[in-house]
Amino acid sequence: MKISLNWISDFVDVSGISPEEFGDRITIHTAEVDEIEEQVVETARIAAVRVTDVTKLDLPDRPGLTAVTLETGEGPARTVCGAPNVRAGMIALAAFPGATLSMGKSVESGEIAGHPSEVMLCSAKELGLWDNHEIIVELPTSVAPGTGLADLIQPRDTLLEIDNKSLTHRPDLWGQYGFARELAAILSRDLAPLPVSDALDAAGLPQVDIAVDAPDVVPFFSAAGLRVPQARVAPLTMRHRLGLVSSPSRDILVDVSNYVQFELGQPSHCFDARIVPSLRVDRVGAARQFTSLDDETHEVAAEDLMIFSGDEPVGLAGVIGGANSRIAPDTQDVTLECANFDGTRIRRTAARLGIRTDASQRYEKKLPVAFADQAPGRIFKLLQDAVPETEATAQRTILRRDATEPRRIHVAAGAMTRRAGADIPDAQSQGLLRSIGFGCEDARDGYTVTVPEFRGEADITTWEDLSEEVMRLFGYHNITPEMPGPQIGTPDFNIRIRGQHRARRILSQSYGFAEVKTYGWHSKDWLSKLGFERRHAPLTIVNPRGSDTADMRDTLIPNLLMVANENRRQAQAFRVYEIGKVFWIEAGEKVEFNRLAGLMVNQRKKASARDSFFELRRALEDIAVAANHPGFDAWHIAAEDREGPWQDGSAVALRIGDRTIGTMGVLPQKLVKTCLDAGHAIWFEIDIDEMATDLYPAHQHRADTPFPGSRQDFTFSWPVAEGYSKLHAVLAAYENPLLADWRLTDAFHKPGEAKANYTFYFHVQRPDRTVTSDDIAEFRADLLRYLEERKVESLST
Amino acid sequence: MSKLADIVTEFEASVSADMDDQALKQLRAAYLGRNGAIAAFRSTVDFASLSPEERAALGKELNEATARIEAGIAAAKDKDGPTSNAPAVDFDTTLPPMTSGIGAIHPITAAQMEIEDIFRGMGFRTYNGEEAVTEFKNFDALNIPADHPARDMQDTFWLENGMVLRTHTSSMQNEAMRDFGVPVRAIFPGRCYRNEATDATHENTFYQLEGLYIDEGVTVANLIAVMKELLDQVFGRDVKVRLRPGYFPFVEPGFELDFWTEINGKWRWLELMPCGMVHREVLKHAGVDPDRYSGFAFGLGLTRLAMLKFGVQDARLFNKGSLSFARQFTATL
């Protein structure tokens, strides 16, 4: 929204302060100023003239051109004009030779089509007044020829563009007057009251027939009748100001209604009383078409709020008037409607139909009812000032839903100081509140504040709301920062987030992985390219950005495969991972948790998938160890348990104890073809948060025994299809007090053979004495017996 | 024994740095080989006739002579310097490692890690949060009215189970107060979603870091101090901050926090984060007595901070998974 300092100065003295300072002060005390714009209208050698004669030239190539004679105040002048509204008797604005127009064009005398052109009759756009180039500017007949443009407008103005977002909760600031009130308080200057007339409330006039059939969304509805004589235009200052804040000038009735909308913030609507003698507001009831005054046709819905005259829709309430009832040039009798509509109702209608008007934008903010009560008096006053013959013809009739009780809020003594952490005595707080129209009176243990009726209902309801008013006027910059007192104790570490960070450091710092983030949803199209069918019921977005991306991801792998696909030309070999959420629905409940997944890609044809696999396995082992686990065991995944097309016979489940924490494997060649140019990729996906344990575990030290032990090697033959981890589990379950340590030292598998050989090292030791050959023999026999019972074939004896 | 000394002298006269490897090999054989000069000398000595002391002395001399010849040959092989600096290996130790390349941490993560560290220093714990949350947590608990535009379909992703993808990390406030009780100091970093068209500064998937501090007697002065401390740490200088009025239903008063910074060579105020004193309705929803406790909350845009800190111009790059983008942020944390 734009505010004009000239307009503001109707109500508060703004002298002696630079535009930049205005911008800063409004920003820090009230609302954000986005931009400051200096506006200058060139006025030199531009003045009012009276048109004395208009003669049609009837030129075949330039139809509509007329020869015009003018009275300039200093004698007659001649010109040529093509504007459709030029007519004898009107007062217009003319640029004399030497004048410069708004686009920089200079005016010279000359000839047009063989006719003298000594001056130029100007449109509003040519003068930089408002956006209309169709017709020439017409001035009230009271303006004497020869009056300079500089005496008809305020040529210089400063516009402050306010960020609308910062006004969403301040419906009182959607007009110039609201900002005048704020500035008066900020500058400690007086605020002039808004001049109004009570002529529309005079007794003895007939009333307007109005009805509200949807009171739940119409808190206040009013209509009055008035008559404005024909051949009238609004004062140029008013029209210029409207032009500056974005609304081009039209008819005086529309101009004044708009002027009050921009001044007070309250929309209103003028209907031609010949067409609209009575008003009724109700929901549309059944979907239908409606043509608005800009001649656009809209499909309105049953719940939209409509203003009817009889059964004829004449205006989409709070949004836009109807084409059928607009003000015509000959309109004299007017039904002036001014109402308060439910903000949400108006917002939904405007949003659905895609018509956001100055009116709907204001109603959306939940305007105070008081404005609707105040606006007609202001409208009448402005009309009467411009056209003294204006008269009230029907008394303002009001249908109000709620009785208005002023809101009162108790503020405890010293509350503002305690809230701010800076000394703001109660007397000062009260002074600040009074400066913006609040009433304050002392009460027990504090004071009572009366909220002025122009402040929005939702805006001020608690003492904390008042604390904002006090502190912003006091100035947040006047509050000295103060660190809170020291707390007792240190906050707990978040073991999950720390665990994630540790995993990141291992992958990124030690294994050359790049962390990426991908969207939280899957692309159905990509999933079908991969041949992936979900195993889980998806968590689905009702209103996705694209119909392809409605389902939230339940695994990170497909998106990472897409990353690999999109980056395959960037590098031959690369490694990426992501830590992010997966979601699905299980037994009607949402499941959501973090996963860590990654891809190790090598597109060189000769690269060894085995080397990559075990390097990645090593990385995951590091992550497990960093999370205080001994490592992962890898188990084959049964075909029926595979979770996606990336899991083939190479895929293994990574377990810690008997918990499966994740999976990893070599990407099947079919998917390598889909996603990459050549080579191989190793994938993994683990439930990272499942690994969270103590961040700083207390590993128990085992004292060295002084008695030497003995290293014993064994080689076992084991079916490859069973997987190493099964053999490992058998060995891990073996207990013998002589066994101090054991580990796998070598594995050999001849391709094609069903069994592989695994060599282990066992360390045999006693805490009380050196092991003897008997001890060793006993240990070996016991171990071999144990393994034989479990069908483990030993190649050692 | 001067015979041994003669052998060494003779060797040193014949060895030369000009000799190639083949010549040096032959020279070595002539002195140290099975039929070389040293072996020939040894065969002239009747060790059995020597006393133990003499045997030891001769052994030592033989070792020394052999060592001098070996060193002479090594020095001749090493054309560039004295024998003592000869490398132990024959590969180029100036090469960079070529095992796995340099890894990278996502810039959003990097920003998050830094902020977590800063706030931990101020006694704030880090809290996990869910991304798919109830309408209550995302809106009602935060005093956002039922008819607020934010709840509309064009702003929020609604899920078929009635939940929403959280539009802000403020959705964690209620849970944090309930889980930890008060007083509480906590931050909640995480991913948020808004149903809007994307451009360089708007993304439907973005990252925030919410902060919450509830205790008795928390003031606006406390809020300013904590925010300033955060920015001092992030930017490594004494940062000038200011609060100005801002409106968010879950705080009262609400502020926009600006900081004074240089942009394209010009110093100006830059809007950085919304914050405010937690609204009494939000406290009440979390079972906290608003007449006893007060506090502040802030919503730092991690995406925005990462854009500022790392000079990223387009917010969409963060979720694109582009290697050329990701690899720029080497894992320094």
Side-chain angles (χ1 to χ4, degrees), chain B residues 204-217:
Chain B
N204 54 43
T205 301
F206 58 99
Y207 299 83
Q208 280 190 343
L209 186 146
E210 181 89 358
L212 180 70
Y213 178 22
I214 309 287
D215 204 341
E216 290 182 53

Side-chain angles (χ1 to χ4, degrees), chain A residues 122-430:
Chain A
C122 295
S123 71
K125 190 166 185 173
E126 284 165 330
L127 295 172
L129 296 173
W130 62 88
D131 189 16
N132 186 329
H133 194 46
E134 313 302 313
I135 54 176
I136 56 171
V137 176
E138 182 168 7
L139 298 178
T141 47
S142 55
V143 177
T147 309
L149 179 57
D151 296 326
L152 294 166
I153 59 165
Q154 291 163 297
R156 287 177 174 276
D157 200 357
T158 301
L159 298 181
L160 304 175
E161 173 90 53
I162 308 287
D163 176 17
N164 287 350
K165 281 206 303 291
S166 68
L167 298 177
T168 46
H169 65 306
R170 291 291 305 271
D172 60 308
L173 292 183
W174 282 81
Q176 310 290 320
Y177 193 71
F179 272 96
R181 185 187 295 113
E182 288 285 317
L183 272 170
I186 292 167
L187 304 173
S188 304
R189 294 181 183 179
D190 291 335
L191 176 73
L194 193 69
V196 291
S197 159
D198 57 5
L200 291 172
D201 295 325
L205 291 171
Q207 291 216 324
V208 186
D209 177 15
I210 60 170
V212 174
D213 292 338
D216 57 318
V217 283
V218 188
F220 183 99
F221 193 69
S222 76
L226 53 89
R227 178 177 297 138
V228 185
Q230 231 178 311
R232 64 280 155 120
V233 288
L236 196 61
T237 309
M238 179 183 286
R239 304 173 79 190
H240 179 216
R241 284 181 180 176
L242 283 173
L244 286 175
V245 300
S246 91
S247 175
S249 169
R250 297 184 177 89
D251 182 273
I252 186 171
L253 290 162
V254 179
D255 284 353
V256 170
S257 167
N258 277 336
Y259 192 82
V260 172
Q261 172 169 255
F262 288 109
E263 186 179 71
L264 182 62
Q266 173 65 45
S268 58
H269 195 75
C270 294
F271 294 96
D272 189 322
R274 294 172 298 185
I275 303 163
V276 183
S278 67
L279 290 172
R280 180 174 66 84
V281 57
D282 194 3
R283 289 187 171 83
V284 174
R288 58 174 296 165
Q289 291 200 326
F290 170 75
T291 304
S292 52
L293 48 75
D294 54 3
D295 292 319
E296 296 283 332
T297 300
H298 308 280
E299 301 289 335
V300 292
E303 66 271 20
D304 290 332
L305 204 54
M306 186 68 79
I307 294 171
F308 295 90
S309 180
D311 287 331
E312 187 64 25
V314 292
L316 191 56
V319 183
I320 195 164
N324 54 0
S325 60
R326 68 182 144 215
I327 297 297
D330 65 344
T331 304
Q332 293 193 40
D333 285 300
V334 173
T335 303
L336 171 64
E337 169 260 326
C338 193
N340 186 283
F341 301 115
D342 178 75
T344 306
R345 177 67 266 142
I346 302 304
R347 171 168 58 77
R348 293 195 169 140
T349 297
R352 195 185 61 253
L353 298 176
I355 24 179
R356 287 195 87 205
T357 57
D358 286 315
S360 73
Q361 205 180 3
R362 284 170 171 75
Y363 281 120
E364 281 178 17
K365 308 302 179 297
K366 302 184 194 294
L367 289 173
V369 167
F371 282 1
D373 200 11
Q374 200 178 0
R378 178 63 180 153
I379 289 171
F380 194 87
K381 169 80 175 130
L382 289 167
L383 282 171
Q384 211 170 32
D385 288 351
V387 185
E389 299 80 13
T390 301
E391 57 180 321
T393 54
Q395 191 188 18
R396 189 164 65 118
T397 312
I398 298 170
L399 293 174
R400 190 195 294 262
R401 189 181 63 197
D402 311 308
T404 48
E405 276 292 314
R407 280 166 281 161
R408 289 182 210 283
I409 298 166
H410 181 261
V411 181
M416 299 304 173
T417 297
R418 287 193 295 277
R419 187 80 164 167
D423 189 27
I424 313 177
D426 289 352
Q428 188 179 1
S429 300
Q430 292 184 32

Side-chain angles (χ1 to χ4, degrees), chain A residues 344 347 494 518-519 542 592, chain B residues 128 131 147 152 191 203:
Chain A
T344 306
R347 171 168 58 77
N494 184 315
T518 68
Y519 289 101
V542 178
E592 172 182 342
Chain B
N128 299 68
E131 292 171 14
D147 60 358
D152 288 356
R191 178 180 256 201
E203 236 299 24

Side-chain angles (χ1 to χ4, degrees), chain A residues 767-788:
Chain A
D768 53 344
R769 59 172 168 78
T770 306
V771 286
T772 64
S773 53
D774 285 350
D775 290 331
I776 293 166
E778 187 194 316
F779 168 79
R780 292 187 71 98
D782 188 64
L783 174 63
L784 290 175
R785 190 171 51 246
Y786 169 83
L787 292 174
E788 196 183 346

